[in-house]
Amino acid sequence: MNDRAGDVLEHIDAEACRRFQVAAELAGQKWTAAVLLSLARGAGRFTEVRHTVSGISDRMLSARLRDLERQGLVVRQVTPSVPVQIRYELSESGWQLIRALAPLVDWGQRWMQDDPAADAR
Amino acid sequence: MNDRAGDVLEHIDAEACRRFQVAAELAGQKWTAAVLLSLARGAGRFTEVRHTVSGISDRMLSARLRDLERQGLVVRQVTPSVPVQIRYELSESGWQLIRALAPLVDWGQRWMQDDPAADAR
DNA sequence: CTGGATCCCTATCGATACTG
DNA sequence: CAGTATCGATAGGGATCCAG
């Protein structure tokens, strides 16, 4: 612990904290991270994502994709062929979110204790 | 979108994703961010935290502090006076978490849309 | 002051079945 | 293929009261 966190804290006022809260809840919601990562790695079709995110149900995937689309993190493109093709991809903000999340992953590697309760999830 | 996220993704294997998931759930849990921030800003006593985190109940604050302590993010110190004084402070990993969260805060400032559902929370 | 214990309600999630 | 509808289980969280 060499430096204080003052340089960090000065950016974090109440409003920032609120926004952070929402962002963290979004990212922390079950399956969201996995779906985001799946898309980042190239999955585009509903079925592709479902297949790369093992264990997710149609219902949850559908819900998460809708949430992500609503927040503008994911773009849903419909190609009017027969049958219609749906493709999801990360938006700019989606990519940026993944980048913003990277330090958190590093933190996890370094500091996180194994959580017994995690097995239940 | 100048750069791809390949440099980010190569750090994110399945294990990292799992850790990330747990970290995100931890940070995304209701009140956790606010409590962390409160401590970072100098609150130490139970009542101080409760006062700076408006709207939190005793029960929740107690629960979150226990979680955080269990995860090693917060250290609980008991001073045996009459009455006993309890003081919470961030551990090293707690401070590092706050630093790791900073990019997410920035992301929120930059990209996050106002979420109507946030009002309900 | 610092919580623990209890009650209860709601949101969330999984499973299953069904549709354009 | 790409979802939606419905049901039931369960865990999270608020309110309130109580205790060391």
Side-chain angles (χ1 to χ4, degrees):
Chain A
M1 173 183 350
N2 283 329
D3 58 313
R4 306 289 297 155
D7 54 332
V8 173
L9 284 180
E10 67 192 21
H11 298 296
I12 308 186
D13 56 5
E15 172 63 9
C17 181
R18 203 197 109 267
R19 284 183 181 277
F20 163 74
Q21 176 69 24
V22 180
E25 280 178 11
L26 178 72
Q29 209 162 17
K30 197 166 186 181
W31 298 118
T32 303
V35 170
L36 239 26
L37 265 304
S38 172
L39 290 171
R41 294 174 126 169
R45 311 290 300 277
F46 189 92
T47 320
E48 281 173 7
V49 179
R50 185 176 50 194
H51 190 249
T52 56
V53 180
S54 83
I56 197 172
S57 67
D58 286 358
R59 176 176 141 57
M60 274 302 101
L61 178 53
S62 175
R64 287 300 83 92
L65 284 172
R66 244 183 291 120
D67 292 348
L68 292 172
E69 188 191 356
R70 224 169 54 81
Q71 280 293 327
L73 301 176
V74 161
V75 180
R76 182 177 187 267
Q77 277 164 347
V78 182
T79 305
S81 51
V82 181
V84 293
Q85 282 229 352
I86 314 281
R87 166 159 288 272
Y88 296 91
E89 51 186 57
L90 291 178
S91 69
E92 168 66 1
S93 71
W95 282 109
Q96 294 299 331
L97 177 59
I98 288 195
R99 308 204 68 215
L101 256 23
L104 190 54
V105 174
D106 293 341
W107 179 91
Q109 306 261 35
R110 170 95 196 271
W111 295 105
M112 214 168 58
Q113 305 175 17
D114 281 326
D115 183 355
D119 297 336
R121 296 192 286 269
Chain B
M1 181 189 333
N2 283 331
D3 59 313
R4 305 289 295 157
D7 53 332
V8 173
L9 283 182
E10 66 191 22
H11 298 296
I12 308 184
D13 56 5
E15 172 62 11
C17 182
R18 202 198 109 264
R19 284 185 181 278
F20 162 73
Q21 176 68 26
V22 180
E25 281 178 9
L26 179 72
Q29 207 164 18
K30 197 165 184 180
W31 299 117
T32 302
V35 170
L36 240 26
L37 266 303
S38 173
L39 291 171
R41 295 173 126 166
R45 309 290 304 276
F46 190 91
T47 321
E48 283 174 5
V49 179
R50 183 176 51 194
H51 192 249
T52 55
V53 179
S54 82
I56 196 171
S57 68
D58 287 356
R59 182 188 186 289
M60 276 302 101
L61 178 52
S62 176
R64 287 300 82 91
L65 284 173
R66 244 183 294 122
D67 291 351
L68 293 172
E69 189 192 355
R70 226 171 54 80
Q71 281 291 327
L73 301 175
V74 161
V75 179
R76 181 176 188 266
Q77 277 164 349
V78 182
T79 304
S81 53
V82 179
V84 293
Q85 281 227 355
I86 312 281
R87 170 158 285 271
Y88 296 91
E89 52 187 55
L90 292 178
S91 69
E92 167 67 2
S93 70
W95 282 109
Q96 293 300 330
L97 177 58
I98 289 196
R99 306 203 72 214
L101 256 22
L104 190 54
V105 174
D106 292 341
W107 180 90
Q109 304 263 37
R110 170 94 196 271
W111 294 103
M112 214 170 58
Q113 304 175 19
D114 280 328
D115 182 357
D119 297 337
R121 294 191 289 267

